[in-house]
Amino acid sequence: MTDNWVEVAKVADIPPLLARVVKTKHGDIALFHAGDGQIYALDNKCPHQGGPLSEGIVHDCRVACPLHNWVIDLKTGEATGPDEGKTRTYEVKVEDGRVFLKL
Amino acid sequence: MSRERLVVIGNGMAGVRAVEEVLKADEQRYAITIIGDEPYENYNRILLSPVLAGENTIEDIILNSAEWYAENGIELIKGVAATRIDRVRREVELADGRRVAYDKLIIATGSKPFMLPVPGNDLDGVIGFRDIADVETMLEAARKYDKAVVIGGGLLGLEAANGLMKNGMDVTVVHLMETLMERQLDATAGEMLRKSLEERGMTFVMPAKTTELLGDDKGRVRAVKLEDGREIEADLVVMAAGIVPNVQLAKEAGIHCERGIVVNDYLMTFDPRIHAVGECVQHRGVCYGLVAPLYEQARVLANHLAGSGWMAYEGSVTSTKLKVTGIDLFSAGDFLGGPETEEIVMQDARGGIYKKLVLRDDRLVGAVLYGDTMDGTWYFQLIKDGTDISDIRGKLLFGQAHLGDSGHGEEAAVANLPDEAEICGCNGVCKGEIVAAIKEQGLFTLEDVRAHTKASASCGSCTGLVEALLAHTLGGDYSATPSEKPMCGCTDHTHDQVRAAIVENGLKSIAEVMRFMEWKTPNGCASCRPALNYYLLCAWPGEYVDDRASRFINERAHGNIQKDGTYSVVPRMFGGVTTPDELRAIADVAEKYNAREVKVTGGQRIDLFGITKEDLPKIWADLAKAGMVSGHAYGKALRTVKTCVGSQWCRFGTQDSTGLGIRLEQLTWGSWMPHKFKMGVSGCPRNCAEATIKDFGVVCVDSGYELHVGGNGGIKVRVTDLIAKVETEEEVLGWAGAFIQLYRETAHYLERTAPWIERKGLSWVKEQLEDEQRRKELFERFRHSQKFAQHDPWSELAEKDDPIFRPVAELA
Ligand code: SRM
Ligand SMILES: Cc1cc2nc3c(=O)[nH]c(=O)nc-3n(C[C@H](O)[C@H](O)[C@H](O)COP(=O)(O)OP(=O)(O)OC[C@H]3O[C@@H](n4cnc5c(N)ncnc54)[C@H](O)[C@@H]3O)c2cc1C
Ligand code: SF4
Ligand code: FES
């Protein structure tokens, strides 16, 4: 299989500690500009009841889902604490301020 | 760089809690070794009583599993005693000859049972009640023998006696004093307790002094001999006549000890490398024998070991609850009182209920409850907070449920709920799950319960119920969340400390606050960031730039997020009054943007549901064109001002309630608050606008306006308190603005006016506002902040055409 890297945004499009959404035909992917300065990409769907993670409050490398406050680890897509569940993550690379997703 | 070596002697409740707190504060700093002479991981000693009574098993009460030690890289040396502290070489010597070097040492050796110095105290079958081994000895004896004597009628003795009785033994309690549990109960409650234990089959011999234990030819105890010559048969004797702090190791190492190891407010001994914590400690002359104070000590100690070093331990007020199923008993503080105290007493001998409250200078200082302990937690909180109770004195004895609150009766309710009753509606957590988690995982605090079960972790409305469950399940060892608790796990500072620091030190951004106050996380969490954003906004109006990344999505997008990710939009209708033009504009946007539902809200305005995020700026622009602004229906902000028709139309109306409501809303809209804020104006005391359950309510009367504050019609209904009566509309506006500003400046984030008033006291609020000068200053500060707040966020965002509302890319 060949790597399929797609350019989706500029880092500057995603303000620190906020997120933007990439629409795809398989559903939305959320791009987070996390507390460590890195960009992470996850399905825009909370493992709990599908809440839009892109609208949550981002802290460090985590996001708190806006619907019921589950906290999702941006690196692994896994729910933290007592909650269990996992959101799909995507590989991201940044070159010259341009963000690529591996799809 | 290699880590500093932290060694703990004592693998018990205080020592391990201190380690947990150290890890929380700084995971990396220390290589940790814990030495414990018991052959177990850390367990919940408190629950030995239910284990003995057959209500729990040993596995149930393990607090930290072997995996926990491994995961946190802690070396646990168990089943081996420490025998010497070598302060010169900074090493601890173990019974098996090993030596463990330390940079910092914590002594947490707890205490041991006090064995009466009488002949025969070393016979077989004579034990204390302290650890798993003791419980095993008792259970073994209960299988083989019939008769047990417990010496000591205190908490521990009665729990032992109860447990042995449950295991089929014939139990006699020998007690030195006239009444049971004299250190926790007054004579009346002690007598009631004795009676109900006797009804269950326990025998008491008291007052009586033990002089000797008599043995048989095999060296096993056979009887207890009293001073008056009586002999009581016994195959097992449990000594529960007190505890003695384990100070031997420290003493031999030359560390200053009195009754306990003497420590300062930082839990440091006379050797700065050596700290001590728990029951082995003597702080300001006091040795504690309950868990709650030890946990407070552990937190302060960790704060110092982690190098922060600003917390001080100043001693604790303690409370007790007897863990004998079916007997409800609670005591706290100075329950005996003295010449300068007053008492409020309620006694119902037949109903088995007794309550005594001890007051000094309008503060509660002690409480004894028997039979009905529902309000124990609340009283304990009042004692610890030193709340001025003069406003509620008349209702105090009847409990929290009678404070004008007809909502959830908190503990009253939870005690009687079935296990499957849902406590946390948001996360669907039932009572049974919470109780099981508290017991099995040894949870002690609200935060623990939140982390393990999710209960009360969302909207927080069930916090009171969860606290009540904790109190009910744990009894005395539950230290009700102090109102002075840290903001969240990211800091040890309280809301008030943070607010004060922002103002005093001129901190102007979230990052600055976090740096200055040594936040433990790089950029906070979803709980502290919105709070900090608000505190900064309130402190520096016009100057601080709102941080939208620290706003909950509703406030960021100025719409209410729905479960399907769409939004609801509510335009403001001042005082609930609208016009055909406005209605037409609303109808137009509803059609244009496919609102899936149009609903009249409970706040006298119209809600449009099912709007997509991308359409938000457009719908706002359209509404703004028709002259409408956001209703802030999503925000911790001024929400609605509900009005009735008043003197304009109504045959009973005394004043223009509608007009006044509109003026109030015009003055206050746009203001950010600690929580949402609602007002109401009724034209007469029939009160059709429900003004007396609003944060600020006005009831018009013939001679003027009655002003009411602190109402809440939500989760926990609270009726307002009357705060003033004024004659003109101008005065109403002045009071409203000043009240709002006082609330904005002193409430904790997410604290509505109702709990805020109960925390600060109505008298205090009155005092602030009745002073005309102060009221004017507050009003001026409010007006100033409003200059920057009354921009319609909708049209602003619509103008900016912020791309954040749109996807960053669309892939085919
Ligand atoms: C729309 C409305 C219901 C309706 O259709 O009538 C409503 C809807 C919501 N209310 Fe309410 N409340 C509405 C009037 C009320 C009222 C009645 C009133 O204001 O006169 C109350 C009781 C009065 C009070 O607050 O004292 C009320 C007490 C609550 C509470 C409990 C507050 C409390 O302090 O106990 C919550 C939960 C919270 O705020 O944490 C809440 C929370 C909510 C939220 C925001 C829940 C959420 O976070 O998503 C609901 C948003 C639905 C949405 O997406 O729009 N709503 N809510 C009402 C909007 C009024 C408005 O025009 O702005
Ligand atoms: C049956 C019972 C019921 C209780 N009920 C309540 C209650 O309802 N509410 C409440 O608040 N409190 C209650 N308590 C008191 C509470 O358990 C104690 O306050 C608490 O356990 C003290 O903690 P600690 O860490 O100081 O001591 P411990 O928990 O006793 O821990 C000290 C540990 O150090 C070990 N140790 C001692 N010397 C050495 C050494 N030289 N080398 C290695 N290890 C050593 C001990 O074996 C022990 O394991 C109860 C206690 C008992 C026994
Ligand atoms: S409260 Fe009732 S009676 Fe009074 S003005 Fe309003 S509608 Fe009329
Ligand atoms: S959908 Fe995310 S927490 Fe419920």
Side-chain angles (χ1 to χ4, degrees):
Chain A
M1 247 181 53
T2 54
D3 288 358
N4 188 11
W5 288 100
V6 183
E7 181 177 350
V8 288
K10 307 225 167 7
V11 174
D13 293 334
I14 315 166
L17 301 183
L18 285 170
R20 295 292 297 275
V21 165
V22 176
K23 286 202 173 300
T24 79
K25 54 181 185 295
H26 310 293
D28 292 358
I29 297 173
L31 297 180
F32 292 90
H33 194 160
D36 61 356
Q38 305 293 313
I39 306 288
Y40 297 95
L42 287 78
D43 271 343
N44 193 23
K45 253 194 175 155
C46 177
H48 178 219
Q49 290 178 9
L53 294 176
S54 58
E55 314 295 5
I57 291 184
V58 180
H59 50 96
D60 203 4
C61 293
R62 294 166 170 210
V63 61
C65 176
L67 293 197
H68 317 96
N69 222 12
W70 279 32
V71 176
I72 312 299
D73 188 319
L74 296 177
K75 292 183 180 167
T76 61
E78 275 173 42
T80 60
D83 299 317
E84 281 170 29
K86 188 165 163 23
T87 289
R88 175 164 176 204
T89 58
Y90 299 84
E91 268 183 67
V92 174
K93 73 176 176 194
V94 174
E95 280 168 10
D96 302 332
R98 296 183 304 164
V99 181
F100 296 84
L101 273 187
K102 188 170 169 187
L103 293 171
Chain B
M1 209 188 77
S2 74
R3 300 184 186 186
E4 286 179 81
R5 288 157 303 182
L6 174 65
V7 174
V8 183
I9 306 179
N11 184 35
M13 297 186 76
V16 176
R17 175 52 74 110
V19 168
E20 286 177 342
E21 294 280 354
V22 168
L23 289 172
K24 242 200 271 172
D26 189 346
E27 237 171 22
Q28 302 299 329
R29 184 166 182 140
Y30 293 104
I32 302 173
T33 303
I34 303 180
I35 304 158
D37 60 4
E38 292 188 73
Y40 302 96
E41 279 74 39
N42 179 37
Y43 60 89
N44 190 341
R45 199 170 299 285
I46 293 177
L47 295 184
L48 287 178
S49 302
V51 170
L52 178 64
E55 294 162 6
N56 273 24
T57 66
I58 299 286
E59 295 78 67
D60 286 344
I61 69 168
I62 298 292
L63 287 173
N64 303 77
S65 62
E67 294 83 63
W68 178 84
Y69 291 90
E71 274 165 21
N72 288 287
I74 297 165
E75 182 191 11
L76 172 62
I77 304 180
K78 63 180 183 185
V80 185
T83 47
R84 198 170 83 89
I85 301 169
D86 184 340
R87 285 168 59 202
V88 179
R89 299 168 66 172
R90 296 211 297 270
E91 284 175 350
V92 178
E93 245 175 56
L94 307 188
D96 61 8
R98 270 186 282 177
R99 299 174 74 92
V100 183
Y102 66 84
D103 296 307
K104 291 269 166 61
L105 179 67
I106 301 178
I107 306 178
T109 45
S111 42
K112 51 181 187 287
F114 172 62
M115 301 305 268
L116 290 181
V118 293
N121 70 2
D122 52 354
L123 287 167
D124 272 354
V126 179
I127 56 167
F129 183 15
R130 182 72 197 174
D131 52 28
I132 292 182
D134 293 333
V135 171
E136 280 168 352
T137 310
M138 285 192 248
L139 291 175
E140 167 86 23
R143 279 192 290 274
K144 288 200 202 146
Y145 306 99
D146 301 328
K147 294 199 163 50
V149 168
V150 174
I151 301 179
L155 183 101
L156 214 57
L158 294 180
E159 289 185 1
N162 177 62
L164 291 169
M165 208 165 68
K166 283 265 175 76
N167 282 289
M169 290 192 95
D170 231 343
V171 184
T172 304
V173 176
V174 174
H175 189 46
L176 189 61
M177 311 301 277
E178 300 267 349
T179 58
L180 292 177
M181 289 179 69
E182 74 285 349
R183 285 178 47 208
Q184 287 90 15
L185 297 182
D186 64 358
T188 316
E191 206 38 49
M192 292 175 86
L193 173 62
R194 173 179 174 165
K195 244 194 223 136
S196 64
L197 288 172
E198 275 172 350
E199 276 164 20
R200 292 161 173 243
M202 221 180 262
T203 310
F204 292 93
V205 179
M206 60 194 268
K209 189 170 173 190
T210 306
T211 48
E212 193 179 344
L213 304 180
L214 309 173
D216 61 15
D217 44 9
K218 291 193 212 75
R220 184 167 184 101
V221 69
R222 69 172 172 80
V224 172
K225 189 167 176 196
L226 306 179
E227 200 174 36
D228 61 12
R230 272 187 289 174
E231 283 181 22
I232 306 168
E233 275 182 66
D235 310 307
L236 174 76
V237 171
V238 180
M239 295 255 198
I243 52 173
V244 191
N246 261 328
V247 299
Q248 202 186 337
L249 272 183
K251 217 179 210 159
E252 286 169 3
I255 294 168
H256 181 57
C257 298
E258 288 171 8
R259 187 173 143 69
I261 303 168
V262 175
V263 294
N264 62 14
D265 288 358
Y266 314 110
L267 286 310
M268 192 189 279
T269 69
F270 279 48
D271 177 339
R273 286 192 178 268
I274 305 184
H275 289 74
V277 67
E279 278 188 350
C280 58
V281 155
Q282 176 175 331
H283 170 264
R284 298 194 188 179
V286 183
C287 299
Y288 293 96
L290 292 168
V291 165
L294 312 185
Y295 281 8
E296 284 175 45
Q297 293 176 354
R299 229 163 67 87
V300 176
L301 170 56
N303 182 262
H304 287 272
L305 289 177
S308 307
W310 52 267
M311 283 170 89
Y313 178 68
E314 295 172 340
S316 305
V317 188
T318 56
S319 74
T320 339
K321 209 163 165 179
L322 183 70
K323 298 188 300 297
V324 171
T325 307
I327 293 187
D328 284 329
L329 183 161
F330 173 92
S331 83
D334 172 12
F335 57 87
L336 287 176
E340 72 296 10
T341 61
E342 308 166 75
E343 287 174 12
I344 308 182
V345 179
M346 198 281 263
Q347 190 167 3
D348 171 3
R350 239 181 92 207
I353 292 177
Y354 171 73
K355 300 182 184 186
K356 178 166 99 177
L357 303 179
V358 182
L359 309 176
R360 187 187 302 127
D361 301 333
D362 286 332
R363 324 256 146 184
L364 192 61
V365 294
V368 184
L369 307 175
Y370 187 89
D372 173 3
T373 53
M374 239 58 119
D375 284 298
T377 342
W378 182 54
Y379 292 137
F380 190 40
Q381 190 75 47
L382 292 174
I383 294 173
K384 286 201 293 188
D385 290 354
T387 311
D388 183 335
I389 50 84
S390 48
D391 294 328
I392 50 171
R393 187 182 164 120
K395 299 178 196 156
L396 200 58
L397 194 63
F398 305 108
Q400 193 174 21
H402 287 80
L403 281 189
D405 149 25
S406 48
H408 287 70
E410 311 290 87
E411 200 176 351
V414 299
N416 302 324
L417 288 175
D419 274 353
E420 57 279 7
E422 189 174 83
I423 299 290
C424 175
C426 297
N427 297 302
V429 191
C430 307
K431 173 178 167 182
E433 277 174 69
I434 299 174
V435 171
I438 294 172
K439 286 193 178 151
E440 283 157 23
Q441 311 188 42
L443 311 182
F444 285 95
T445 65
L446 186 63
E447 276 67 37
D448 288 348
V449 175
R450 281 196 181 141
H452 282 86
T453 69
K454 256 317 171 173
S456 89
S458 296
C459 84
S461 68
C462 58
T463 302
L465 289 173
V466 174
E467 292 209 299
L469 268 180
L470 266 163
H472 188 75
T473 313
L474 289 178
D477 39 294
Y478 172 59
S479 51
T481 327
S483 39
E484 287 303 300
K485 64 183 166 184
M487 274 181 69
C488 66
C490 301
T491 177
D492 289 326
H493 294 281
T494 65
H495 284 269
D496 289 332
Q497 286 169 338
V498 172
R499 291 202 85 160
I502 288 175
V503 175
E504 282 159 21
N505 302 292
L507 308 177
K508 301 261 163 104
S509 70
I510 292 181
E512 243 181 279
V513 177
M514 288 184 173
R515 219 174 306 124
F516 187 83
M517 307 210 75
E518 298 182 334
W519 237 247
K520 297 187 224 162
T521 47
N523 31 49
C525 69
S527 155
C528 59
R529 281 232 312 278
L532 291 179
N533 190 51
Y534 168 72
Y535 292 154
L536 287 159
L537 205 68
C538 178
W540 315 115
E543 197 180 341
Y544 172 70
V545 184
D546 193 71
D547 176 28
R548 64 180 168 171
S550 298
R551 289 245 184 213
F552 184 60
I553 179 62
N554 284 353
E555 295 185 345
R556 201 189 297 153
H558 298 287
N560 248 314
I561 193 163
Q562 308 293 317
K563 60 182 187 187
D564 63 354
T566 64
Y567 292 80
S568 75
V569 162
V570 185
R572 199 167 278 287
M573 278 181 186
F574 288 85
V577 176
T578 183
T579 62
D581 277 345
E582 280 186 0
L583 291 174
R584 208 168 282 124
I586 291 175
D588 286 345
V589 298
E591 268 177 4
K592 186 166 162 194
Y593 300 102
N594 281 322
R596 297 213 297 274
E597 183 164 287
V598 181
K599 182 183 178 303
V600 174
T601 73
Q604 297 187 334
R605 43 200 198 168
I606 291 173
D607 202 345
L608 307 170
F609 288 91
I611 311 298
T612 63
K613 188 176 179 191
E614 284 162 74
D615 280 342
L616 283 176
K618 298 181 220 158
I619 192 169
W620 297 331
D622 286 3
L623 288 166
K625 251 182 260 153
M628 279 182 269
V629 298
S630 164
H632 290 78
Y634 42 76
K636 308 302 170 212
L638 189 274
R639 292 278 175 96
T640 58
V641 182
K642 203 162 168 169
T643 68
C644 77
V645 284
S647 60
Q648 295 289 74
W649 300 95
C650 175
R651 65 200 164 109
F652 297 114
T654 61
Q655 312 280 356
D656 177 12
S657 50
T658 320
L660 177 56
I662 293 173
R663 286 187 74 188
L664 274 170
E665 191 159 352
Q666 278 165 345
L667 172 74
T668 55
W669 78 271
S671 169
W672 294 109
M673 310 260 196
H675 206 308
K676 58 187 171 191
F677 192 96
K678 302 175 176 181
M679 297 199 262
V681 187
S682 288
C684 83
R686 287 168 192 73
N687 197 10
C688 301
E690 298 160 334
T692 48
I693 48 165
K694 298 288 179 248
D695 296 278
F696 186 88
V698 183
V699 176
C700 303
V701 290
D702 219 27
S703 54
Y705 306 86
E706 288 175 1
L707 308 183
H708 297 261
V709 295
N712 190 316
I715 296 148
K716 187 161 159 181
V717 180
R718 182 183 193 277
V719 173
T720 45
D721 294 298
L722 178 68
I723 193 163
K725 192 168 158 222
V726 300
E727 284 169 16
T728 66
E729 286 199 357
E730 297 315 314
E731 287 173 287
V732 175
L733 296 176
W735 275 80
F739 175 76
I740 290 176
Q741 188 64 12
L742 187 63
Y743 169 60
R744 296 181 77 228
E745 289 176 4
T746 58
H748 299 164
Y749 191 65
L750 295 191
E751 182 178 44
R752 269 191 88 172
T753 57
W756 168 71
I757 283 191
E758 281 175 13
R759 179 168 65 84
K760 304 290 279 183
L762 177 65
S763 312
W764 178 84
V765 174
K766 257 193 178 150
E767 220 176 271
Q768 306 294 309
L769 295 175
E770 274 168 357
D771 178 13
E772 197 175 331
Q773 183 57 30
R774 212 178 284 170
R775 193 169 70 239
K776 287 221 166 94
E777 286 166 11
L778 281 164
F779 185 75
E780 268 323 304
R781 288 207 291 280
F782 179 64
R783 274 255 301 261
H784 177 69
S785 79
Q786 282 299 81
K787 274 195 220 150
F788 313 98
Q790 290 195 332
H791 297 291
D792 180 28
W794 283 1
S795 43
E796 236 169 59
L797 281 173
E799 266 162 38
K800 262 198 259 164
D801 189 24
D802 194 332
I804 194 116
F805 287 92
R806 297 192 293 269
V808 68
E810 291 191 46
L811 304 181

